[in-house]
Amino acid sequence: HYVSEEEKRISQKNINIFNNDIIIPTGTEKINSEHRQIDNTLRFSKKNTDTKKVFFLGRIHEIKGIDILIEIFADLVKKHKDVSLILSGPYEGDYHIELKDKVNMLGLSYIEVLPDKLFEYDISSKVVFTGMVSDKIKNWLFKNTDLYAQLSHSEGFSNSIIEALAFSKPILISKGCNFNDDSINNFGKIHSEVTDSAKFINDLFSDDSKLQKYSHESFTYVYNKYNWQMIAEKAISQFEKIKLSEKKK
């Protein structure tokens, strides 16, 4: 089985197997509140209580399109001054150095800070590198940021996207994330141009009612589509159809 249409396409192209294929997406336990527990010791500076925060979670690697996200953020800062971009994930190679150079080139500034020290810094208009996060710290960042962005050049399936939706976050993602669902317009956007994506974020951050609507739609969508129980029931039904068709041969 495959987890997405894109994985199916690539696999069939490479291994030339076309029969009895089914797509079973990965679900998330985050739709249940007991799996969204956070580290309550963490906090942002009082200065940043109302700062709007864009969040990315994943490897700091060129395939993730973080350079484009930084360009979007640079354009966003021109429109919405009190905003921050938080990048959480392990460094891979020297790519993080290229990103920091790009931040400086665009006239921005960045800080490297562990999540438990965020309260010591003013992160407004800054790019924040937190390093790798997991468990309750990761959950805290999902909960206390305002929009999740992932502009990967290629992904089979991104758990981070559906986890963000489970935390009721609007999303900005790339075509390379292979999140092929027209309903995304109810809770997010597929990136096309830097200025257009910056405008999308600014419009959300400037309209609390619209941001709340997108947040509500995010959770509704992920609850209805990435619920493990529903995925399991659908998978069983698909396997039974395959079994029945094999018997008829």
Side-chain angles (χ1 to χ4, degrees):
H1 80 275
Y2 309 101
V3 296
S4 69
E5 285 287 352
E6 181 64 9
E7 185 181 66
K8 172 183 171 181
R9 184 190 69 79
I10 293 172
S11 297
Q12 289 182 338
K13 179 181 178 181
N14 292 332
I15 62 179
N16 202 34
I17 295 177
F18 296 91
N19 62 316
N20 292 338
D21 54 79
I22 62 173
I23 295 173
I24 304 175
T26 300
T28 178
E29 295 178 332
K30 302 291 185 185
I31 61 173
N32 301 313
S33 59
E34 62 266 28
H35 294 288
R36 296 199 302 273
Q37 298 299 308
I38 65 172
D39 185 336
N40 287 307
T41 66
L42 302 177
R43 68 186 191 279
F44 289 109
S45 163
K46 288 183 179 180
K47 291 181 180 179
N48 301 130
T49 301
D50 297 321
T51 300
K52 297 299 185 186
K53 304 168 186 77
V54 178
F55 182 43
F56 163 81
L57 174 70
R59 296 177 297 136
I60 308 302
H61 187 280
E62 58 187 347
I63 200 172
K64 298 296 184 178
I66 304 169
D67 55 334
I68 302 171
L69 181 53
I70 289 172
E71 290 177 13
I72 293 170
F73 180 69
D75 196 64
L76 175 62
V77 168
K78 298 173 185 176
K79 303 174 178 68
H80 198 109
K81 298 296 183 184
D82 195 14
V83 64
S84 177
L85 172 60
I86 299 175
L87 306 174
S88 293
Y91 292 160
E92 293 209 358
D94 294 331
Y95 183 60
H96 66 100
I97 297 174
E98 293 181 35
L99 294 178
K100 292 164 187 171
D101 288 343
K102 188 176 190 72
V103 169
N104 291 331
M105 182 187 71
L106 291 170
L108 302 170
S109 59
Y110 70 87
I111 57 174
E112 291 180 288
V113 56
L114 295 175
D116 63 349
K117 299 296 182 182
L118 278 167
F119 71 94
E120 298 179 0
Y121 296 84
D122 180 1
I123 63 171
S124 185
S125 299
K126 293 184 176 68
V127 178
V128 181
F129 293 86
T130 72
M132 186 174 179
V133 297
S134 60
D135 302 326
K136 290 184 178 181
I137 296 176
K138 178 181 74 171
N139 288 353
W140 181 84
L141 284 164
F142 270 128
K143 181 177 180 179
N144 289 283
T145 51
D146 302 282
L147 178 139
Y148 183 74
Q150 185 165 328
L151 304 180
S152 302
H153 298 298
S154 178
E155 291 279 354
F157 187 85
S158 174
N159 287 321
S160 296
I161 292 174
I162 60 172
E163 287 185 356
L165 295 173
F167 277 90
S168 303
K169 302 305 168 185
I171 57 174
L172 171 68
I173 60 176
S174 63
K175 290 180 180 178
C177 289
N178 295 303
F179 194 91
N180 301 315
D181 195 317
D182 292 338
S183 63
I184 189 176
N185 294 324
N186 295 323
F187 51 82
K189 177 181 173 58
I190 301 293
H191 166 72
S192 55
E193 300 290 337
V194 167
T195 54
D196 192 40
S197 290
K199 183 180 184 301
F200 165 74
I201 299 174
N202 183 56
D203 288 348
L204 274 184
F205 286 178
S206 301
D207 186 340
D208 286 341
S209 62
K210 187 175 182 179
L211 184 58
Q212 289 175 9
K213 178 179 180 296
Y214 271 58
S215 297
H216 173 75
E217 293 292 339
S218 295
F219 184 80
T220 301
Y221 172 82
V222 77
Y223 184 85
N224 289 331
K225 187 159 185 177
Y226 292 98
N227 182 317
W228 273 119
Q229 182 64 35
M230 295 173 67
I231 290 172
E233 291 173 358
K234 185 176 180 180
I236 290 170
S237 175
Q238 289 176 303
F239 281 124
E240 287 177 344
K241 288 179 181 178
I242 291 173
K243 185 177 180 180
L244 184 61
S245 67
E246 289 293 325
K247 285 182 178 180
K248 291 180 180 179
K249 289 182 179 180

